[in-house]
Amino acid sequence: MSVHAEAIEEGHGTGSLGVPNLKLAMWAFLGSECMFFGSLIGTYFFYHDHSLAGPLPKDVFSIGITSISTFLLLMSSLTMALGVDAMRRGKALRSRNFVWGTALLGLTFVGFQVFEFHHFVTEKGLTLATSLFGSSFYVMTGFHGAHVTVGVIWLSIVGWMIHKGHFGQEKAINVEVSGLYWHFVDIVWIVIFTFVYLLEFAK
Amino acid sequence: MASIADFARAPAPTYHMARPPKTGLMDWLTTVDHKKIGILYGLSGLFYLLVGGLEALLFRIQLAVPDNDFLTGEQFNGLVTMHATTMVFLAVMPIIAAISNYFIPLMIGARDVAFPRMNAFSFWTFLFGSLLLNSSFLFGGAPNAGWFGYAPLTGSQYSGSGIDFWWTGLAMLAISSMVAGVNFIVTILNMRAPGMTLMRMPVLVWMILVIQFLLAFSFPPITVGLILLGFDRTFGTVFYQVSMGGDPQLWQHLFWLFGHPEVYVLILPSMGIVSEILPVFTRRPLFGHHAVIFSGVAIGFMGFGVWGHHMFTVGMGPIADAAFASTTAIVGIPTGVKIFNWLGTLWGGKITFPTAMLFAVSFIPMFTIGGLSGVMHSSPPIDLQQHNSYFVVAHFHYVLVGGALQGLFAGVYFYLPKITGKLLSEKLGKVHFWVFLAGMNLTFFPQHFLGNHGMPRRIYTYPADAGWNTDNMLGTIGVILMATATLVMVYNILTSWKKGKPAGNDPWDASTLEWMTTSPPPVHNFDFTPVVLSERPLWDHKRTPGFEIPVPETSESIHMPSNSWRPMLISVCILLIMVGLLTHLWPLCIVAALGIVAGVYLWVTEPA
Ligand code: HEM
Ligand SMILES: [Cu+2]
């Protein structure tokens, strides 16, 4: 099979740039996602301090709890990196454990978010319709949470494929690419946590 | 002397596929072949071109005479909105997608795109999105808030269910375009034949590469804008609620941050087509080949920094106005570079004028007229006069019809013989060209004056004593001419497809790889992977000793991707989610979302 014919097998060829198709596609997609989250976060700040009714960010955020969930998400990037590394070195079971561990940490993060939303709605009286803050906060963090959820499902499937022996060292790219996505989602959260949560208390 | 007949010597390749190929209708529904997907895009685009044209014809009849009551104001608004939305998203973009799909792999010497199933997914998502959008005519009326759908007019206080079809339909088109963008970025960067360096890529491939970046990076802002709109209308958020402090400028920024790059998505491929056609029919290399490429890239980058020129009248403030005015004027520079390069190509050429060349040549002055009026309203004080008047309508129709559409027509006459294997009738082609050119100028040139005489856009009728009667009547006659010309083209396409003269591999004695294979090409495109030695591989093969493309003695073994239902399955689930949002049937949304998860699992576990 020529180099070229091989490149057509979806995603698994190493093409003209010397980068596998799948990885290049993920980078292009993440570029697009930067614009997506950029627009959501931009909307949040476009409307910052424009709300006509309370509660305001300072009234609802609890940095302590969110710091814990942020820490868990950061740790999940570590486990993800370890999972990718293990697969590159051909240690499938170790990789599976780290990948599933990452998914579990991600799931915990989503759990925290559900708890946070629930708390804001029932205790603090902040709903989607309360104010510009409510609308832009929930939609922005909600779409981030949805991305984490997609990541959790994805990693669970990746872990399952490793478990079943479908992904071995020669297909480490599949784990690596899910890792790229995961790190991206994590970075978006760091931006949100820093600028939306922490900065609120810096003033 | 080498000739393209040499390539017939190559032994036929052997295939291996994961599953036996399907035939007939089943094949079309499950195809992952870029050529078939290209044809599907092309037929859909052509269909919607006629639909959009019919809509225009209807509202031009209304505007032909003053105080007319052929249409109500409501119907007029719906038709204008759907005309623009259809032409931009459902006619021109799909025809561009058709050309990209069919020809990018052929031009770079590849067997398919990087992700064939994702490609099919893009098509079905586009098709279902377009049907959803148009089904609004049957359920409660078309969207009627204008193609740029300014908030808060699109809010539920002011607009009916048409807007729900509009935002859900457009959201599907956005998904489709973004996925296609990623797919083609990878294809062009990573699937090039050996020796096809970036600077040896045809200009059309370059322009399509640029627009894929524009698609991937400019659709997210409008997607977010649409999501916010959908949330406002469906879940009671207050993003665009002025009474809650919402700012109408938010939507405008999100829309135009998409909207301006989008107009380059529409024009750059036509610039690429013109840059491919002029050298062939002047028998000269493209003048300043690299300058044409780099100016296209520059236009792409700058396209992200000018969106505010659509908002000069909104009151962004003097600093923003000044910044956007200068960036806008500066975009004129790379545009001018291209125009002079085309003129330089024509200069001293041995020119022949088949229909493709007529359209390509007339692209230059027609586009330039539109570009010049664009530069005029890059100046805020001038734009304050021209904004929202027919002058702007004249501007964007010169660039879109005289530019983008004429470029695509040139592409139809130039490239269709490769797809059908048959030449189009030159006689009918010339009728098409001259009648269309006359109609276009009859409609849009007087609109410059209409605008300067104060006629605003989007009014459904006007008084008899405003001084606008003649120009409007001319406009309606022009549209009838354009419609007739377009029907002549459709007739030409259909009859030539059935019984046109055989085209042969290389009817125009051209210089790029797509002409070295048969017309239509075999499923695997090329019997052997060509090695590219220059910017004009086929030209040099035919004329420059030492640059012959080597023909291998041994046969290649090719892995061909197999038909798959997965792409359409996932598109259907996305459609169902949108229907669920429209009808507030939340369980449907949840089931469809689970369907997507299942579909993706089936997708990744399916042997390609
Ligand atoms: C030389 C380059 C160009 C410049 C400087 C330019 C400038 C402008 C400006 C300032 C406006 C806003 C006018 C107003 O609403 O008051 C405008 C509108 C528009 N332009 Fe251009 N333009 C250029 C090229 C193009 C091209 C190539 C296309 C499309 C192929 C295009 C499509 C449009 C459209 C569709 C609108 C109107 C949007 C709407 O209000 O519905 N322009 N242009
Ligand atoms: Cu613009």
Side-chain angles (χ1 to χ4, degrees):
Chain A
M1 201 193 304
S2 75
V3 183
H4 215 69
E6 221 168 295
I8 207 157
E9 279 185 46
E10 273 185 62
H12 297 296
T14 304
S16 328
L17 290 186
V19 183
N21 282 351
L22 205 56
K23 206 176 196 177
L24 195 58
M26 184 43 78
W27 279 112
F29 171 69
L30 293 182
S32 176
E33 288 277 271
C34 283
M35 293 300 287
F36 183 80
F37 280 106
S39 305
L40 282 172
I41 298 172
T43 300
Y44 179 86
F45 283 105
F46 190 83
Y47 278 155
H48 194 242
D49 287 338
H50 278 46
S51 294
L52 300 184
L56 294 174
K58 271 201 181 103
D59 307 330
V60 297
F61 290 161
S62 93
I63 296 296
I65 297 180
T66 313
S67 297
I68 298 174
S69 69
T70 304
F71 177 76
L72 292 177
L73 197 62
L74 282 181
M75 285 303 107
S76 78
S77 260
L78 178 65
T79 53
M80 187 73 235
L82 290 171
V84 171
D85 182 61
M87 187 47 97
R88 278 214 200 101
R89 289 187 286 116
K91 303 205 167 107
L93 287 189
R94 187 178 152 86
S95 175
R96 178 204 65 188
N97 293 346
F98 275 121
V99 167
W100 273 346
T102 308
L104 196 64
L105 286 169
L107 196 64
T108 321
F109 175 85
V110 176
F112 267 90
Q113 193 174 36
V114 171
F115 169 79
E116 183 193 43
F117 281 11
H118 182 74
H119 176 72
F120 287 0
V121 171
T122 54
E123 317 260 310
K124 309 277 183 174
L126 182 73
T127 67
L128 273 174
T130 311
S131 62
L132 290 173
F133 167 58
S135 298
S136 54
F137 171 79
Y138 282 123
V139 171
M140 171 183 63
T141 50
F143 269 94
H144 178 266
H147 276 72
V148 178
T149 311
V150 168
V152 168
I153 297 173
W154 185 0
L155 290 180
S156 311
I157 296 180
V158 168
W160 177 251
M161 302 286 275
I162 304 175
H163 180 74
K164 284 272 149 190
H166 295 308
F167 289 172
Q169 192 171 11
E170 74 296 345
K171 289 197 175 174
I173 176 81
N174 289 309
V175 187
E176 202 178 330
V177 165
S178 62
L180 279 179
Y181 173 83
W182 190 260
H183 294 313
F184 171 79
V185 173
D186 203 358
I187 290 168
V188 171
W189 182 253
I190 294 175
V191 173
I192 294 180
F193 183 64
T194 312
F195 290 99
V196 174
Y197 286 78
L198 290 183
L199 268 193
E200 199 61 54
F201 295 89
K203 284 169 275 180
Chain B
M1 214 50 160
S3 81
I4 62 162
D6 307 339
F7 302 130
R9 281 208 320 267
T14 51
Y15 291 178
H16 47 98
M17 306 184 90
R19 290 177 294 285
K22 293 195 167 27
T23 51
L25 181 66
M26 284 302 161
D27 181 30
W28 285 97
L29 294 178
T30 58
T31 185
V32 295
D33 177 350
H34 70 99
K35 295 181 288 303
K36 295 205 173 105
I37 294 175
I39 291 172
L40 290 172
Y41 265 118
L43 292 176
S44 325
L46 200 58
F47 170 73
Y48 281 118
L49 184 70
L50 300 180
V51 173
L54 181 68
E55 285 156 355
L57 190 61
L58 290 175
F59 67 69
R60 275 316 314 180
I61 293 175
Q62 162 69 17
L63 289 175
V65 291
D67 298 314
N68 200 357
D69 57 3
F70 175 68
L71 296 174
T72 64
E74 195 80 351
Q75 289 167 330
F76 180 91
N77 290 345
L79 286 172
V80 173
T81 304
M82 284 305 285
H83 161 73
T85 309
T86 301
M87 286 306 197
V88 169
F89 295 100
L90 311 183
V92 173
M93 285 180 73
I95 296 176
I96 292 169
I99 294 179
S100 318
N101 262 288
Y102 206 99
F103 286 99
I104 290 292
L106 290 172
M107 288 180 154
I108 61 173
R111 303 221 182 272
D112 206 317
V113 295
F115 303 98
R117 288 180 299 174
M118 240 160 80
N119 200 21
F121 167 78
S122 291
F123 172 73
W124 295 112
T125 308
F126 147 73
L127 187 73
F128 296 148
S130 75
L131 294 175
L132 181 63
L133 182 60
N134 276 288
S135 65
S136 60
F137 280 110
L138 307 176
F139 307 107
N144 54 7
W147 87 280
F148 48 54
Y150 274 5
L153 183 58
T154 44
S156 33
Q157 316 88 300
Y158 305 110
S159 287
S161 65
I163 298 296
D164 290 319
F165 287 91
W166 186 75
W167 82 260
T168 48
L170 284 190
M172 288 189 72
L173 300 179
I175 296 171
S176 155
S177 302
M178 203 207 59
V179 172
V182 169
N183 200 350
F184 276 88
I185 288 174
V186 178
T187 303
I188 297 175
L189 290 180
N190 234 12
M191 307 278 287
R192 283 167 284 135
M196 172 72 80
T197 58
L198 287 174
M199 292 321 289
R200 284 184 191 158
M201 289 194 320
V203 178
L204 177 56
V205 177
W206 260 104
M207 295 307 111
I208 289 181
L209 177 62
V210 172
I211 73 162
Q212 304 310 321
F213 279 100
L214 298 183
L215 290 176
F217 294 120
S218 76
F219 262 91
I222 192 183
T223 308
V224 167
L226 292 166
I227 288 172
L228 305 186
L229 175 64
F231 267 75
D232 269 13
R233 295 182 57 93
T234 318
F235 303 114
T237 51
V238 297
F239 290 103
Y240 305 124
Q241 291 269 350
V242 181
S243 60
M244 296 289 281
D247 186 338
Q249 284 190 56
L250 174 64
W251 167 268
Q252 298 187 19
H253 282 297
L254 290 172
F255 184 87
W256 290 116
L257 184 49
F258 147 80
H260 194 86
E262 170 69 14
V263 305
Y264 290 134
V265 168
L266 303 175
I267 195 70
L268 285 175
S270 291
M271 291 178 160
I273 290 172
V274 169
S275 308
E276 294 301 324
I277 292 179
L278 292 183
V280 171
F281 297 113
T282 52
R283 318 308 298 152
R284 304 188 62 208
L286 183 64
F287 182 85
H289 184 259
H290 291 191
V292 177
I293 293 175
F294 286 126
S295 56
V297 176
I299 290 177
F301 272 106
M302 291 166 155
F304 280 99
V306 300
W307 78 91
H309 64 217
H310 297 275
M311 300 167 61
F312 286 144
T313 55
V314 179
M316 292 181 297
I319 294 177
D321 279 3
F324 283 118
S326 9
T327 52
T328 303
I330 291 171
V331 186
I333 297 173
T335 313
V337 168
K338 282 187 183 277
I339 293 173
F340 283 106
N341 279 305
W342 294 320
L343 295 179
T345 309
L346 289 168
W347 193 278
K350 286 204 265 322
I351 307 182
T352 46
F353 280 110
T355 313
M357 182 65 167
L358 286 174
F359 275 112
V361 168
S362 106
F363 171 98
I364 305 172
M366 293 302 118
F367 171 75
T368 306
I369 294 176
L372 288 176
S373 55
V375 177
M376 282 183 215
H377 38 235
S378 70
S379 158
I382 298 180
D383 186 60
L384 293 190
Q385 291 299 313
Q386 296 173 339
H387 181 69
N388 225 16
S389 78
Y390 262 85
F391 192 88
V392 173
V393 180
H395 158 66
F396 64 73
H397 283 94
Y398 267 91
V399 281
L400 288 173
V401 180
L405 196 58
Q406 281 208 100
L408 293 176
F409 283 156
V412 167
Y413 286 91
F414 190 67
Y415 289 118
L416 201 66
K418 177 56 60 180
I419 301 179
T420 61
K422 308 286 176 52
L423 291 172
L424 288 125
S425 147
E426 279 298 318
K427 207 187 270 164
L428 290 176
K430 285 182 180 145
V431 173
H432 172 202
F433 171 73
W434 289 109
V435 176
F436 194 86
L437 188 69
M440 191 203 114
N441 284 287
L442 206 55
T443 300
F444 301 120
F445 203 76
Q447 291 185 349
H448 292 104
F449 303 112
L450 270 181
N452 284 348
H453 294 157
M455 180 160 170
R457 295 168 73 174
R458 298 176 173 154
I459 50 171
Y460 82 101
T461 188
Y462 53 90
D465 59 359
W468 303 335
N469 302 2
T470 322
D471 288 345
N472 271 303
M473 181 49 94
L474 289 177
T476 304
I477 297 171
V479 167
I480 293 169
L481 292 182
M482 279 187 273
T484 316
T486 309
L487 290 178
V488 170
M489 177 188 74
V490 173
Y491 176 79
N492 194 352
I493 291 176
L494 295 179
T495 49
S496 76
W497 202 322
K498 279 268 165 292
K499 43 183 197 255
K501 271 195 279 205
N505 292 10
D506 183 19
W508 316 115
D509 189 6
S511 57
T512 37
L513 291 182
E514 71 273 26
W515 305 104
M516 74 181 263
T517 187
T518 51
S519 313
V523 201
H524 54 277
N525 291 355
F526 301 97
D527 282 346
F528 61 96
T529 305
V531 175
V532 179
L533 302 170
S534 70
E535 267 170 19
R536 301 194 295 162
L538 205 55
W539 178 279
D540 286 333
H541 174 85
K542 289 179 282 194
R543 291 182 180 76
T544 319
F547 279 86
E548 293 85 1
I549 297 173
V551 182
E553 308 285 327
T554 51
S555 93
E556 274 188 36
S557 151
I558 308 172
H559 173 97
M560 292 305 295
S562 300
N563 293 52
S564 172
W565 281 105
R566 272 64 162 177
M568 194 203 271
L569 179 76
I570 299 181
S571 301
V572 168
C573 290
I574 295 182
L575 176 67
L576 291 179
I577 290 188
M578 296 303 173
V579 172
L581 286 169
L582 273 171
T583 50
H584 296 213
L585 266 179
W586 312 128
L588 181 62
C589 294
I590 294 170
V591 172
L594 292 177
I596 292 179
V597 176
V600 171
Y601 184 78
L602 290 174
W603 177 309
V604 295
T605 50
E606 179 186 53

